[in-house]
Amino acid sequence: MKYHITTMGCQLNENDSEKISGIVENMGYEKTEKIEEADLVIYNTCCVRENAEERLFGKLGELKKQKEEQGTIIAIGGCMMQEPHILEKMKQSYNYIDIVFGTHTLHKFEEDLKKATEKKIKIRDVIDIDGEVIEDLPIKRNDKYKASVTIMYGCNNFCSYCIVPYVRGRERSRKPEKILEEIKNLSKEGYKEVTLLGQNVNSYNGGNEYKFSNLLNDVCKIDGIEKIRFISPHPKDFTDDVIESIANNEKISRIIHLPLQSGSTKVLKEMNRKYTKQQYLDLVDKMKEKIPNVLFSTDIIVGFPGETEEDFEDTLDVVRKVNFEQIFMFIYSRRKGTVADKKENQIPEEIKHERFEKLKELYDSRVSLNNQKYIGTTQRILVDGYSKNDKTILTGRTDSNKVVNFYGTENLIGKMIDIKITEEHKWYLKGEI
Ligand code: SAH
Ligand code: SF4
Ligand code: F3S
């Protein structure tokens, strides 16, 4: 029996998919990249922005035919299924789907799948609770050298544009022992890099005053793990102890993802982000001072309700001042049930797009210039494998997540090596061993 899985969302969603894969592979299913030969098709959905809905419903139409012809079992899960209007739509118009599951019922997937295949019943397993922290699920990881480790679930922040707190429930942290045990095992299996995941990692609470900085320090002590990343921290929770942990531990990546969302203090207030433009800039300055060579990446939303040209200029101003290595840019998308969706001063689509293009232009114009600083430097990189386009070239990423291509032999894959950077090509760097 073969399964095909599509992940539509963030790295947390991806990590959930690795667990679903672990569960079904334990049941004897084998992974296939070809959806048409799969006996089981799984979609792990995202709803953080609107466009995912059209994509999913388009796919479901195509899958109906495959199901009629081959009896394919279809399972749809993830964040979108936690939205009441979507769940209703699934119940009304998509009754041929075998399993609909939410974000709190992953651990029951084996049971649900058995019921669906053996008893031929339709499963609708979505519950609206905060969920428990379920440990020790099987997992089939996508990568051999880099691993994601979820440290906390849910979110308490209720940024006014965001659906995540509604579909993922309240914050729950895993126990430190469980996280450290997982990472020690990863190290034994040969993993070199871990990314600690959560919607707000720096509000991690391991109990008994054990905070995110303690976790960082303990993860750094694990032999064999050479690089530690984390996403996403929230600027409001970026306390001095976290900065200190980073400064004191070379293993922690020197690129920090610090979601800005907007550079306007007024918009930030409306977004319920709990920091001002100046506080964000001060935090960046403090980190630059305490952590030599620190770099930043960020998330920015343009076209939030009520955003004026002046507000948008403030965003561009922060972009110029911080000089981000990478910006994930988003056009504001109305999400049912959120506070911002109810605002009357929504921004017209064309203005949102104009601002998006302007931000993109500013960012693009700085990439090459930013890349110049790498030329002549030596970068320690984890060799990922062969380049996609050229099988004679190896590829890896710098600490700051830039792709580096270079000539080398297969035995280097999975190792950390030093590369001297010789050229920059906007979206990648070239180097020599
Ligand atoms: N918890 C993380 C990530 C949340 S989702 C954080 O706070 O940084 C990833 C990104 O999607 C967000 O940072 C935000 O920039 C974007 N996003 C969330 N809701 C959005 C919406 N309604 N419209 C557009 N972008 C959105
Ligand atoms: Fe959404 Fe804000 Fe929570 Fe991030 S911190 S998941 S943007 S509510
Ligand atoms: Fe999307 Fe859910 Fe992640 S809404 S961004 S998959 S937490």
Side-chain angles (χ1 to χ4, degrees):
M1 300 288 268
K2 292 187 172 151
Y3 79 99
H4 182 278
I5 186 162
T6 306
T7 310
M8 304 175 92
C10 62
Q11 295 196 43
L12 283 151
N13 205 230
E14 193 70 61
N15 196 226
D16 283 348
S17 287
E18 291 182 326
K19 290 174 192 158
I20 300 167
S21 295
I23 294 171
V24 298
E25 290 196 16
N26 266 7
M27 293 170 76
Y29 284 86
E30 207 181 291
K31 191 170 185 162
T32 173
E33 296 303 326
K34 294 186 191 135
I35 198 161
E36 63 280 3
E37 65 171 30
D39 304 286
L40 166 65
V41 172
I42 308 163
Y43 271 88
N44 193 9
T45 63
C46 170
C47 57
V48 80
R49 285 169 294 273
E50 192 171 23
N51 46 15
E53 278 162 35
E54 292 149 38
R55 266 204 300 154
L56 177 73
F57 290 116
K59 284 280 168 221
L60 293 189
E62 289 167 30
L63 275 175
K64 189 173 186 198
K65 199 157 160 271
Q66 180 172 336
K67 183 169 182 63
E68 281 162 3
E69 287 168 2
Q70 306 170 27
T72 315
I73 298 285
I74 308 173
I76 314 294
C79 294
M80 205 193 290
M81 300 304 118
Q82 292 288 146
E83 290 185 284
H85 70 284
I86 297 285
L87 186 61
E88 198 46 44
K89 186 164 171 175
M90 298 302 293
K91 285 179 181 161
Q92 299 285 333
S93 319
Y94 293 89
N95 49 15
Y96 59 90
I97 305 290
D98 299 276
I99 304 171
V100 175
F101 63 106
T103 57
H104 303 298
T105 44
L106 212 73
H107 57 287
K108 285 171 63 203
F109 194 74
E110 176 169 358
E111 193 188 316
D112 288 344
L113 182 56
K114 274 189 185 150
K115 278 191 206 152
T117 49
E118 289 164 13
K119 302 201 178 124
K120 309 253 176 283
I121 45 178
K122 302 289 182 216
I123 310 288
R124 300 293 177 260
D125 197 0
V126 181
I127 48 173
D128 185 20
I129 54 153
D130 290 345
E132 299 159 57
V133 174
I134 309 278
E135 293 290 353
D136 304 319
L137 286 179
I139 185 158
K140 178 67 181 39
R141 296 184 184 274
N142 294 333
D143 220 299
K144 271 159 67 185
Y145 311 108
K146 296 177 186 181
S148 296
V149 175
T150 301
I151 63 165
M152 52 149 3
Y153 299 90
C155 182
N156 289 352
N157 290 325
F158 288 93
C159 301
S160 64
Y161 50 81
C162 185
I163 192 80
V164 171
Y166 301 91
V167 296
R168 287 269 174 180
R170 295 296 66 71
E171 280 178 13
R172 290 92 67 196
S173 293
R174 287 177 69 195
K175 292 229 156 53
E177 308 82 74
K178 280 293 181 186
I179 298 169
L180 295 169
E181 179 189 299
E182 180 175 348
I183 300 175
K184 278 178 196 153
N185 287 334
L186 286 169
S187 165
K188 277 185 211 144
E189 289 168 37
Y191 283 87
K192 296 280 186 289
E193 180 176 318
V194 291
T195 302
L196 309 178
L197 298 180
Q199 291 299 357
N200 186 4
V201 284
N202 47 353
S203 74
Y204 173 81
N205 176 2
N208 300 323
E209 303 281 302
Y210 190 98
K211 295 183 294 204
F212 185 55
S213 56
N214 302 103
L215 183 67
L216 281 179
N217 293 340
D218 284 343
V219 175
C220 288
K221 288 181 199 141
I222 300 176
D223 286 336
I225 299 299
E226 298 191 40
K227 172 96 45 205
I228 297 148
R229 301 179 189 275
F230 53 87
I231 45 167
S232 287
H234 195 301
K236 77 173 164 64
D237 296 312
F238 225 112
T239 45
D240 289 347
D241 55 322
V242 177
I243 299 178
E244 205 174 302
S245 291
I246 303 167
N248 293 340
N249 287 300
E250 285 290 319
K251 284 186 179 182
I252 301 176
S253 171
R254 261 46 191 161
I255 185 159
I256 307 291
H257 186 65
L258 195 64
L260 169 67
Q261 312 302 1
S262 168
S264 152
T265 295
K266 183 198 95 194
V267 172
L268 285 167
K269 190 158 197 299
E270 295 276 303
M271 286 178 161
N272 193 28
R273 290 292 289 179
K274 302 199 168 71
Y275 53 87
T276 63
K277 175 186 182 186
Q278 198 52 47
Q279 282 169 332
Y280 186 93
L281 289 172
D282 289 347
L283 176 62
V284 165
D285 284 344
K286 180 155 74 175
M287 286 163 81
K288 282 183 176 167
E289 186 194 314
K290 299 260 164 74
I291 311 165
N293 301 321
V294 71
L295 297 168
F296 296 93
S297 62
T298 201
D299 290 353
I300 292 176
I301 298 174
V302 299
F304 182 82
E307 182 189 68
T308 62
E309 274 308 313
E310 207 184 341
D311 294 323
F312 178 61
E313 278 301 323
D314 270 330
T315 299
L316 299 181
D317 186 45
V318 177
V319 169
R320 287 189 200 100
K321 286 189 168 128
V322 179
N323 225 357
F324 295 105
E325 282 295 293
Q326 217 176 351
I327 306 180
F328 300 91
M329 299 169 225
F330 306 106
I331 291 177
Y332 169 71
S333 170
R334 295 176 76 162
R335 303 285 67 209
K336 255 203 188 88
T338 61
V339 171
D341 182 46
K342 297 184 189 82
K343 291 186 191 284
E344 279 172 10
N345 46 1
Q346 301 287 330
I347 304 292
E349 283 305 313
E350 68 267 23
I351 295 184
K352 288 197 222 173
H353 281 89
E354 260 169 40
R355 289 185 187 159
F356 183 84
E357 287 307 320
K358 257 195 207 160
L359 174 62
K360 198 166 161 292
E361 260 168 45
L362 173 65
Y363 171 65
D364 283 356
S365 71
R366 297 181 147 234
V367 175
S368 288
L369 205 65
N370 250 341
N371 282 349
Q372 298 289 336
K373 67 173 174 286
Y374 291 93
I375 295 177
T377 64
T378 301
Q379 302 281 329
R380 195 156 179 78
I381 68 160
L382 172 63
V383 185
D384 285 330
Y386 289 111
S387 152
K388 263 194 205 121
N389 306 323
D390 185 341
K391 294 283 170 230
T392 66
I393 291 178
L394 290 176
T395 184
R397 279 171 189 267
T398 62
D399 177 45
S400 59
N401 234 351
K402 289 254 178 246
V403 175
V404 182
N405 292 339
F406 57 97
Y407 287 104
T409 44
E410 192 173 1
N411 61 320
L412 295 174
I413 296 174
K415 301 219 164 75
M416 300 281 297
I417 61 167
D418 288 332
I419 297 285
K420 185 164 180 185
I421 307 299
T422 52
E423 291 171 40
E424 74 87 17
H425 290 262
K426 198 156 186 180
W427 303 119
Y428 68 97
L429 306 170
K430 252 185 177 172
E432 291 163 2
I433 298 172

